[in-house]
Amino acid sequence: NHGSRERYHYHVIGMNSRLDELQAAILRVKLRHLGRFNQLRRDNAHHYSRLLAALDLETPYEDGKGRHVYHQYTVLTEQRGAIQSSLADAGIASGIYYPVPLHRQEVFARQFSGVTLPVCERIADRVLSLPIYPELSGEQIERIVAVIAAAEKANP
């Protein structure tokens, strides 16, 4: 979908500040539950990683120096298109949050003209973020992984 990808193309440097009083009030209540929400995200991420370990993709890495909160659960795969299409066909959302590396954005065209960052560019072509939120159930994760496994098998 080209329309949704356009939002990841930056033409000027700016700021994103949309917090109004109602949102602030809601977040103030939710803040009391932040620790529990973060732990549920971690639990879900670890469930994903265990189930995805047998597949041909890379899962997020934790080095033990900090605690990931998994705002996104992003995998790297050579079969991104096939997997994303299969997930969509199954009614499962996925995302490619940063499809264009910063050094390739229009806003930095002059500053980074001629710069190539092959690792960054390769990763941008392989990232796919899966659903992750505190209320995601183990059964939902297992269904998502089953769809990914079937997509890999159908597109070797």
Side-chain angles (χ1 to χ4, degrees):
N1 183 334
H2 295 288
S4 65
R5 285 186 64 128
E6 181 60 30
R7 72 180 189 181
Y8 297 110
H9 292 262
Y10 306 107
H11 308 286
V12 296
I13 295 175
M15 178 181 284
N16 183 354
S17 180
R18 300 183 293 224
L19 186 66
D20 60 39
E21 289 180 21
L22 179 59
Q23 290 174 326
I26 292 168
L27 288 175
R28 191 171 175 186
V29 171
K30 290 180 86 170
L31 190 58
R32 291 182 223 140
H33 305 284
L34 184 62
R36 183 171 55 84
F37 289 160
N38 286 344
Q39 186 57 52
L40 290 168
R41 283 177 176 275
R42 282 186 203 98
D43 294 346
N44 286 337
H46 295 153
H47 193 139
Y48 264 131
S49 293
R50 281 190 302 276
L51 295 175
L52 292 169
L55 301 182
D56 188 24
L57 49 75
E58 292 178 53
T59 59
Y61 170 76
E62 291 188 53
D63 63 9
K65 294 179 183 175
R67 296 185 69 202
H68 203 310
V69 295
Y70 293 98
H71 171 67
Q72 297 171 1
Y73 185 89
T74 302
V75 298
L76 298 176
T77 177
E78 298 294 333
Q79 299 177 357
R80 179 174 74 185
I83 291 171
Q84 190 171 38
S85 179
S86 293
L87 289 168
D89 290 346
I92 300 168
S94 62
I96 302 169
Y97 289 101
Y98 304 102
V100 181
L102 283 177
H103 70 287
R104 292 236 172 128
Q105 294 287 346
E106 180 183 328
V107 68
F108 296 119
R110 190 177 336 177
Q111 187 176 357
F112 295 108
S113 175
V115 170
T116 59
L117 300 172
V119 173
C120 180
E121 293 160 14
R122 176 104 175 92
I123 288 172
D125 289 339
R126 298 174 62 216
V127 294
L128 181 64
S129 295
L130 305 178
I132 185 116
Y133 48 91
E135 300 84 6
L136 189 65
S137 72
E139 293 79 18
Q140 289 171 308
I141 292 171
E142 291 161 15
R143 178 172 174 260
I144 292 164
V145 171
V147 171
I148 293 170
E152 277 194 356
K153 190 173 185 178
N155 300 284

